[in-house]
Amino acid sequence: MIDPYNVLERASAHIREAGARVAHVSKASIHEKNGHCNYVTETDIAVEEYLKSELPPIVPGSCFFAEEQENEALTDAYTWMVDPIDGTTNFIMGRHASCVSVALLRNRIPVLSIIYQPYLDELFTAVRGHGAFLNGRPIHVSDQPFPKALTALGTSPYYAELAHATAYCFERFLTKGGDIRRVGSAALDCCDIACGRADIYFELRLSPWDYAAGALLVTEAGGKFEMPYEQNIDFGKSACVLASNPLCYDDALKILQDAKPLIPSGL
Ligand code: LIP
């Protein structure tokens, strides 16, 4: 068994260093990946390599699962789930809305999360069963009801076939709820839900490294995190995700369920 607070302290130091390396880059060297508007930069790769060298030794025998490498299937072993720069397009455009997102999984579920927004020096942390924190202070989801809810969305830009369903959801969250925001980083969207800066977040398809750390942060802050189109949450797969305060969840889930017929089968 690990000492989660010792792991949190040691991993946080390296994630802060990773964030500093991101924030100090003024012009990123960009490469295209498969999928519309799917980019990776040399900074993504360098930061991932840095974390790959520093995180596994903190938990001997742990695995490393990350965005910019080929990954084996998840096992029950301790596994670092890493997005070296979540919000890569924001990073490329100089929008200062990106983060380093790291979860430690055991038995295929997150037990520890660290998300660092280097431009604001905001470190979000959670240990399963022990709450969620921003720079060491406890955070909690909002108590905003659905008719006034601020909904953050991800547009799944790599999947043009999801645009129609995403627009359907956009219109309903805007007309039945409150206003909309598109941050460009799923992990930062989850941080916003966890500290009450937004009330709902959804994205019709998202990768495990984008949501794994944010999922634990949201639930430890009193929120709900689910995969509306799956029987059970599976942190090893890309899926539709919904994060919300408890008051908004049922209304938000209904909109996503109503949108499902608009999504091509097999996606
Ligand atoms: C991003 C997500 C975002 C999603 C983007 C992209 P990346 O992650 O955080 O929510 O809409 O398409 O997947 O690629 O910047 O690590």
Side-chain angles (χ1 to χ4, degrees), residues 37-39 85-95 98 157-158 184:
C37 289
N38 192 2
Y39 304 111
I85 304 178
D86 190 53
T88 295
T89 299
N90 286 343
F91 171 65
I92 291 167
M93 303 296 286
R95 295 177 60 85
S98 307
Y158 314 154

Side-chain angles (χ1 to χ4, degrees), residues 33 37-39 44 67-68 83 85-90 153-158 182 184-187 189 201 203 205-207 209-210:
K33 296 198 296 191
C37 289
N38 192 2
Y39 304 111
D44 289 87
E67 177 171 11
E68 308 308 346
D83 190 339
I85 304 178
D86 190 53
T88 295
T89 299
N90 286 343
L153 82 156
T155 55
S156 308
Y158 314 154
R182 179 7 177 195
S185 161
D189 286 318
Y201 161 67
E203 188 145 9
R205 188 169 179 82
L206 200 60
S207 299
W209 45 77
D210 292 318

Side-chain angles (χ1 to χ4, degrees), residues 92-109:
I92 291 167
M93 303 296 286
R95 295 177 60 85
H96 290 193
S98 307
C99 62
V100 179
S101 181
V102 175
L104 178 65
L105 282 70
R106 174 69 161 152
N107 299 326
R108 304 169 201 234
I109 60 167

